[in-house]
Each structure stands twice: as structure tokens, then as C-alpha cells.
Amino acid sequence: MWQEAISLYTENPMSWNPVALFHRPSSISPSSESLGYFACVTYLGKVPTTGMQFLSGCTEKPVIELWKKHTLAREDVFPANALLEIRPFQVWLHHLDHKGEATVHMDTFQVARIAYCTADHNVSPNIFAWVYREINDDLSYQMDCHAVECESKLEAKKLAHAMMEAFKKTFHSMKSDGRIHRNSSSEEVSQELESDDG
């Protein structure tokens, strides 16, 4: 499984971003069409997660917890209740009403605060999950694992790829704006991103 590690600031837990890892789906090739990607999904919810190192499998336990809650109330049909929109800098989760129409409620996630995402889950291949650093009112933070169920395994992998592309664009923009401190790990990652062979 191919991984790409990106460290935005330092590994200090009080910095804005921990190490971010993205799994590149093997069946999806890079594309310039990843400026914005939309998918109808079922939002499974979020649960707090612990730790600062996000390695392969780190979302499995939170996803199992969310999946169990979801399957207790599940219908036989894929009940899409949200539209997930992945763009550079932000991810929007538009909530849908029971008729499938957009509501005024929308969750916004800053791409720079996403520490990890993957579409590789044993409980279901159709699940896409991400770990997000939520900043509380008192400026403390917590790490939450969010998960969505997609219509297919391929759709989940496309979301993972779109998130990786959004993160690359965000990272390069932040680097060119000088918002990322230069250190050896940032330069190594930058070279790795630029030499991406798909």
C-alpha cells in the first residue's frame, strides 16, 4: 500500500497540524480534474480519536464503532443523506433532508487540518474516513474521525484520491505563501510530491 507522508509544521502536538498521511488508491490515477469532486454519501458520524501518529489502520476502530451504530438503524437501500464536496482548501459536507434535497446545514472542514484519510477499511470497502483536528472555543483541540459510506468501493477510493489532490494543492499554496516553515522534512516531502509518478 502506497503512502505519502506530509508534515506541515513540526511534530510538536501544539502546532496546527500533525503529520498527514494519505493512501493513494491503486486503481485511481492522478488527474487535473480533481479541482472539485462531489459524491452522494451517507454520513456515518464522528467519534473522537487519540494519538498524534496516524498510520495505516488508525481509523479502523472508530469506523467500526460508527458502522455498528449505523447498521442498527440501517435500511436495505443505500440511504444517501449528504453530499460530500472536496476542493482545495476546504471540504464541504452538505446535509440532505429525507427527500434528498439540500438543507441549510453544512459542515466545513479545512483541508490543512485533516491529518489522515483512507478508503481502506475491513468492515466495509465502501467507507471513506478522515481524521480532523477540531479547534474548540477555548483554543484546545481534539482529533475526530469522520466517516461516510459511499455507493461503491470505487467511489470511496475516488474520494480518497480527491482528498489527496486537494491536500497537495493546499500544501503547495501554503508553501508558496510562506505559511509552512522550511525544514528538512518539508523539503523532502515537497520533492516527493513533485516527483509523483502516479
Side-chain angles (χ1 to χ4, degrees):
M1 185 178 321
W2 188 88
Q3 291 181 343
E4 163 173 359
I6 301 171
S7 176
L8 285 184
Y9 296 103
T10 65
E11 292 183 10
N12 177 349
M14 297 309 293
S15 66
W16 279 101
N17 247 24
V19 173
L21 294 173
F22 294 88
H23 291 275
R24 168 177 287 170
S26 57
S27 62
I28 307 295
S29 60
S31 164
S32 60
E33 298 172 10
S34 298
L35 291 175
Y37 189 81
F38 301 83
C40 285
V41 298
T42 299
Y43 182 60
L44 302 178
K46 69 176 182 177
V47 292
T49 187
T50 58
M52 291 302 295
Q53 292 189 357
F54 301 98
L55 305 173
S56 180
C58 72
T59 59
E60 196 68 32
K61 186 177 175 182
V63 164
I64 289 171
E65 182 180 336
L66 290 168
W67 183 252
K68 284 181 181 177
K69 288 179 187 176
H70 172 68
T71 54
L72 291 176
R74 184 176 183 168
E75 299 173 8
D76 291 336
V77 188
F78 173 78
N81 64 10
L83 178 69
L84 188 64
E85 180 178 356
I86 299 175
R87 295 178 166 269
F89 308 107
Q90 289 188 335
V91 174
W92 296 325
L93 185 66
H94 305 271
H95 295 274
L96 306 176
D97 63 16
H98 63 281
K99 296 178 185 175
E101 297 176 9
T103 65
V104 292
H105 184 65
M106 178 179 79
D107 293 320
T108 303
F109 305 93
Q110 302 300 319
V111 171
R113 290 190 194 166
I114 295 173
Y116 183 88
C117 79
T118 185
D120 297 318
H121 294 96
N122 294 327
V123 70
S124 170
N126 298 1
I127 293 178
F128 171 67
W130 65 97
V131 176
Y132 185 72
R133 173 180 243 153
E134 187 68 48
I135 306 296
N136 299 318
D137 292 339
D138 64 357
L139 299 181
S140 64
Y141 70 91
Q142 67 186 40
M143 303 303 282
D144 292 324
C145 179
H146 296 260
V148 296
E149 181 186 17
C150 304
E151 291 185 42
S152 67
K153 177 180 179 177
L154 180 61
E155 191 67 35
K157 291 194 176 292
K158 285 181 179 181
L159 285 172
H161 177 72
M163 188 76 82
M164 182 186 69
E165 291 297 317
F167 187 79
K168 280 184 183 181
K169 287 174 177 44
T170 301
F171 175 79
H172 284 300
S173 176
M174 291 175 74
K175 184 177 176 189
S176 66
D177 290 350
R179 291 185 279 168
I180 296 177
H181 303 295
R182 288 193 162 271
N183 62 33
S184 60
S185 63
S186 296
E187 290 172 2
E188 288 170 10
V189 169
S190 177
Q191 290 171 356
E192 190 176 314
L193 288 174
E194 290 168 3
S195 65
D196 178 37
D197 59 359

